[in-house]
Amino acid sequence: MAARRALHFVFKVGDRGRSARFYRELLGMSVLRHEEFEEGCKASCNGPYDGKWSKTMVGYGPEDNHFVAELTYNYGIGEYRLGNDFLGITLVSSQAVRNAKKMGWPLKEVTTGIFEAEAPGGYKFYLEDKEQLKQDPVLKVTLGVSDLQKSVNYWSDLLGMKIYEKDEEKQRALLGYADNQLPNIEALMKKENQKILTPLVSLDTPGKATVQVIILADPDGHEICFVGDEAFRDLSKVDPNGDKLLDDAMAADNSDKWFAAQKMKKASA
C-alpha cells in the first residue's frame, strides 16, 4: 500500500476570474488541470449542488509531489459564506509578496517578514518573504478546532499523522504525514464509530482514470477525502492545456449575463 500524503485543499469560488488572477498572477501558481462537469459529483465534491460545475487544480508543481489548491466553481453560485474553520495557508515566496505589491493587492504584515493576503472569497494566505523553496513552497494549512486534544487524537491516532509540535498553553499543534502506510480507512472508521460522509465510491472523470474515494469528517466537521493512489497518479497528470481550458471556460461562461437578464442574482451558499 502507498504512503499517505496530503494532496490538496478545496476552495469553493464564486468569482472564477478574480480567483484565477489571484492564484496565477499573485501567488505564481500554475494551472495543472481544468475539468468541466455537466452535473453534480456523486461524492458531493462540488458541494450539495446538482448543476454544472468545474474544478481547477493550481499549484507550484505536479500533484505527485506538491500540495495544490482545488478551485471548485458552481455556475449558479455567486458567493459562499465564510466559516471560522479555515484559518489560512502559509507558503514561502518573496516573489508572491512582490507580485502583490505590484498588483496593488492589499497586504498586511502580521509579523516580521510574514504578510497576509486575502484571496477572493475571504480565504487567507500567509506569505513568508523569503526566497521560494526549490521543493514545494507550501508549508502548512491552519484549521480552527473546538477541542485540541480531541482533534490531535483523531488526526494522529486514526488518520496516522505524526505530531511534530504541540503547545498546550497556546492551544495549537502541528501534524503531518511521515512514511507510514495507509490502513483500511473505511473499516477503521466504522470500528471506531467515526463519521463517514461518503462511503467508498468510484468517481469517473471523462477521458481520465476512475478513482476510488472515501470522505470523512473530523470532530469539528472538517471534510477529509482519501483517494486511491494508483488511479490518482493517472488522473492528476499535468495537462499542458490547463491554462487554455480554464480561460476558454471563463470566456464561455455566460451565467452572469443570464442571471442579469432574468433580473436575478446568483445564489449565496
Side-chain angles (χ1 to χ4, degrees), residues 11-64:
F11 295 104
K12 289 184 173 66
V13 300
D15 188 328
R16 191 166 52 172
R18 288 190 70 236
S19 296
R21 184 168 182 252
F22 178 86
Y23 290 93
R24 289 195 290 193
E25 297 180 27
L26 193 155
L27 295 185
M29 292 181 173
S30 299
V31 175
L32 305 173
R33 55 188 171 104
H34 175 80
E35 294 150 7
E36 295 277 332
F37 301 88
E38 293 300 320
E39 57 186 29
C41 171
K42 60 184 178 181
S44 298
C45 308
N46 63 313
Y49 311 108
D50 295 327
K52 186 176 179 179
W53 66 287
S54 75
K55 69 176 177 182
T56 308
M57 312 303 289
V58 294
Y60 291 105
E63 292 174 70
D64 256 2

Side-chain angles (χ1 to χ4, degrees), residues 90-237:
T90 302
L91 56 89
V92 177
S93 178
S94 56
Q95 183 61 57
V97 174
R98 290 195 295 271
N99 291 344
K101 291 177 179 179
K102 183 178 179 180
M103 294 166 66
W105 202 280
L107 278 181
K108 181 171 70 174
E109 190 167 17
V110 293
T111 188
T112 303
I114 299 180
F115 294 84
E116 177 188 292
E118 191 172 292
Y123 305 116
K124 292 182 179 180
F125 285 77
Y126 295 94
L127 315 177
E128 289 197 13
D129 194 8
K130 298 178 182 177
E131 184 177 350
Q132 187 167 308
L133 302 174
K134 291 183 179 179
Q135 64 268 32
D136 194 345
V138 178
L139 294 184
K140 63 183 178 182
V141 177
T142 304
L143 300 175
V145 301
S146 57
D147 185 321
L148 181 65
Q149 189 56 55
K150 190 174 182 180
S151 293
V152 168
N153 290 344
Y154 182 91
W155 288 85
S156 61
D157 295 347
L158 296 179
L159 300 190
M161 282 190 168
K162 178 181 177 181
I163 302 172
Y164 290 99
E165 297 175 15
K166 187 179 178 187
D167 189 325
E168 292 285 359
E169 183 178 347
K170 295 183 178 179
Q171 281 291 286
R172 65 186 185 191
L174 179 65
L175 297 91
Y177 280 121
D179 296 324
N180 301 317
Q181 297 298 306
L182 179 64
N184 187 327
I185 287 291
E186 187 169 32
L188 176 62
M189 292 298 153
K190 287 180 178 177
K191 177 183 175 183
E192 298 295 333
N193 197 30
Q194 296 294 323
K195 185 176 289 186
I196 298 175
L197 297 178
T198 302
L200 191 64
V201 64
S202 295
L203 300 181
D204 298 323
T205 299
K208 295 187 178 182
T210 296
V211 297
Q212 289 190 314
V213 307
I214 177 172
I215 303 177
L216 314 174
D218 81 349
D220 289 285
H222 299 119
E223 295 185 15
I224 309 124
C225 179
F226 282 84
V227 185
D229 181 67
E230 185 175 352
F232 178 77
R233 289 181 184 275
D234 182 47
L235 172 69
S236 64
K237 289 178 181 175

